[in-house]
Amino acid sequence: MLAVRKRSCITLILSGLVVFPLACEPQRQGRNTDTNRTPITFGFIGDLSGPTFNFGESAKNGVLMAADEINQSGGINGRRIDIIFEDDQGGPEKSAILAGKLIDQDKVVALVVAGASGNSLAAGPKAQSARIPMISPSSTNPAVTQVGDYIFRACFIDAFQGGVMAKFAADTLKARKAAILLDFNSPYSRGLTDYFELGFTKLGGQVVNKQSYMQGDADYKGQLSAIKAAEPDVLYIPGYYGDVAIIARQARQLGLTQPLLGGDGWDAPELWELGGDALNGSFISNHYSVEDPSPAIQRFVHDYKLLYGNLTPDAHAALAYDAMRFLAAAIERGGTTEGPKLRDALAQTKGFAGITGTITIDSDRNAVKPSVVLKLEDGKYIYQETIQPEAVTDAAVPFSSPSPVTRKRARR
């Protein structure tokens, strides 16, 4: 059962269940030997009611599930996890305010800031100045971790993700001409655009038309008409699901039949509800595939569905789950929640096997890990291929665990 404290602070006290191991790393050095058994409090910031609310809800679910399992297995060095959840409503300014509140008033030991890169960029300076580690599960813009040495992420960055889709377009789809429709005000969308264009042209392709829009626009027909006239082989739309679904419908209405390409910002159930059949034949880069036969991934999907009313865990849920667990593993390994020492333990993470791939933190505090390409067809994300970072040759091997856990459904 999940018990809800004041200020949306969740105390997770489920017992008697078999759970995943805390991490794949064999080291148990630095375990806390003091008698402190007070809860360890983390802060979570995400969009729970704004334009990308699905991202925030999924991330919240993933964090809760991970914390649930950690508490069931005895906590972190014998200390239970508490989490204070805050809703930034998709606004960077509010994200910054909430980061300050969680650090100054609630005295959290670390922040998990989910969702859009712009919100993580706003919260980062607060964490950096307070020397409180912050992890973004899913903000892929490279600038996020450049805020300072206390800022980490559990996902790959746009330089890799944009290049993945450029490589897929050129090598797999044999595209030679591409058009781009980007959200000009979004750091996420602009970053993916730059890296896709760079990668595609390096592979011999040509960007024949580039158009822009603003999040929440209702009419994209002018931009799409110009793109149609350029006769591209593919159309790259590095945006978020709410806009992408409308763009897809209008593109098909105008007779654009080319494959639509995108990134992890498309991954939400609402995409299909809004876009329908217009999305068929599209391709996206993403962090993992629910079709992966790995026992660990299938257990994760199984348990998540049991916990959240048969919902399929999207990438934001899986990334947040991984972020929570590798943060907990760093505390356990370092034996402390002190900001500087926890920062050092996070920076030393190597080969942490998560659901979304094996996480190794590089010198810029980014997660070096693979990407998958998925095809959209009839409401499903169908696995196509895995593309590894150039420096990584071994396939990701998620951690193994005991038999699937029978779980009770969580209160939403």
Side-chain angles (χ1 to χ4, degrees), residues 322-389:
D322 282 349
M324 191 71 227
R325 294 190 69 86
F326 104 74
L327 172 59
I331 295 174
E332 183 179 45
R333 188 173 62 246
T336 180
T337 58
E338 295 177 14
K341 292 181 180 179
L342 176 53
R343 191 221 76 84
D344 291 345
L346 286 166
Q348 293 163 8
T349 300
K350 305 293 181 186
F352 181 92
I355 295 301
T356 59
T358 299
I359 297 173
T360 291
I361 298 298
D362 68 13
S363 59
D364 295 317
R365 297 163 304 285
N366 299 318
V368 179
K369 59 200 300 190
S371 171
V372 297
V373 177
L374 308 177
K375 181 178 182 179
L376 280 63
E377 200 71 44
D378 298 331
K380 297 179 181 179
Y381 298 92
I382 303 170
Y383 173 80
Q384 299 297 294
E385 61 183 89
T386 297
I387 297 180
Q388 298 281 352

Side-chain angles (χ1 to χ4, degrees), residues 147-166:
V147 168
D149 62 350
Y150 279 77
I151 315 302
F152 296 80
R153 77 178 96 225
C155 56
F156 48 63
I157 61 174
D158 289 337
F160 175 57
Q161 181 176 199
V164 162
M165 194 47 65

Side-chain angles (χ1 to χ4, degrees), residues 28-214:
R28 293 298 179 191
Q29 300 172 0
R31 291 183 66 90
N32 199 342
T33 57
D34 63 31
T35 57
N36 184 0
R37 291 296 180 265
T38 59
I40 299 173
T41 304
F42 300 101
F44 172 96
I45 302 172
D47 180 2
L48 302 176
S49 63
T52 55
F53 72 91
N54 185 273
F55 294 166
E57 285 290 344
S58 292
K60 178 181 177 181
N61 289 347
V63 164
L64 278 171
M65 182 173 171
D68 210 14
E69 294 174 352
I70 293 165
N71 282 342
Q72 292 171 35
S73 64
I76 302 173
N77 296 332
R79 299 173 66 185
R80 189 179 68 249
I81 294 174
D82 282 357
I83 307 170
I84 300 174
F85 290 91
E86 297 287 0
D87 177 12
D88 65 20
Q89 300 175 339
E93 291 182 2
K94 189 156 189 179
S95 184
I97 292 170
L98 291 171
K101 179 257 184 189
L102 287 166
I103 292 169
D104 297 333
Q105 297 181 30
D106 299 310
K107 308 301 181 184
V108 300
V109 303
L111 291 174
V112 177
V113 182
S117 295
N119 294 359
S120 294
L121 283 166
K126 300 287 187 179
Q128 181 66 28
S129 63
R131 300 205 300 175
I132 294 295
M134 174 184 130
I135 297 180
S136 173
S138 55
S139 295
T140 53
N141 188 288
V144 169
T145 54
Q146 294 169 9
V147 168
D149 62 350
Y150 279 77
I151 315 302
F152 296 80
R153 77 178 96 225
C155 56
F156 48 63
I157 61 174
D158 289 337
F160 175 57
Q161 181 176 199
V164 162
M165 194 47 65
K167 180 177 175 62
F168 180 78
D171 293 351
T172 303
L173 299 182
K174 307 302 181 185
R176 291 296 172 260
K177 297 189 297 179
I180 302 173
L181 181 54
L182 72 143
D183 178 353
F184 184 77
N185 287 337
S186 166
Y188 166 79
S189 189
R190 292 198 310 270
L192 280 179
T193 293
D194 291 343
Y195 293 114
F196 174 86
E197 187 169 8
L198 178 64
F200 192 66
T201 53
K202 278 187 175 181
L203 292 168
Q206 179 186 5
V207 175
V208 294
N209 194 274
K210 190 192 303 186
Q211 300 286 326
S212 65
Y213 65 91
M214 293 179 61

Side-chain angles (χ1 to χ4, degrees), residues 182-268:
L182 72 143
D183 178 353
F184 184 77
N185 287 337
S186 166
Y188 166 79
S189 189
R190 292 198 310 270
L192 280 179
T193 293
D194 291 343
Y195 293 114
F196 174 86
E197 187 169 8
L198 178 64
F200 192 66
T201 53
K202 278 187 175 181
L203 292 168
Q206 179 186 5
V207 175
V208 294
N209 194 274
K210 190 192 303 186
Q211 300 286 326
S212 65
Y213 65 91
M214 293 179 61
Q215 188 178 44
D217 285 350
D219 188 351
Y220 306 89
K221 292 187 176 68
Q223 298 98 311
L224 291 169
S225 294
I227 287 170
K228 181 180 180 182
E231 299 183 341
D233 299 319
V234 293
L235 171 55
Y236 188 51
I237 314 171
Y240 295 124
Y241 60 89
D243 298 312
V244 166
I246 300 171
I247 292 170
R249 282 191 178 277
Q250 293 183 8
R252 300 315 189 202
Q253 289 168 2
L254 288 173
L256 279 159
T257 59
Q258 296 91 333
L260 308 180
L261 311 181
D264 57 339
W266 289 36
D267 187 9

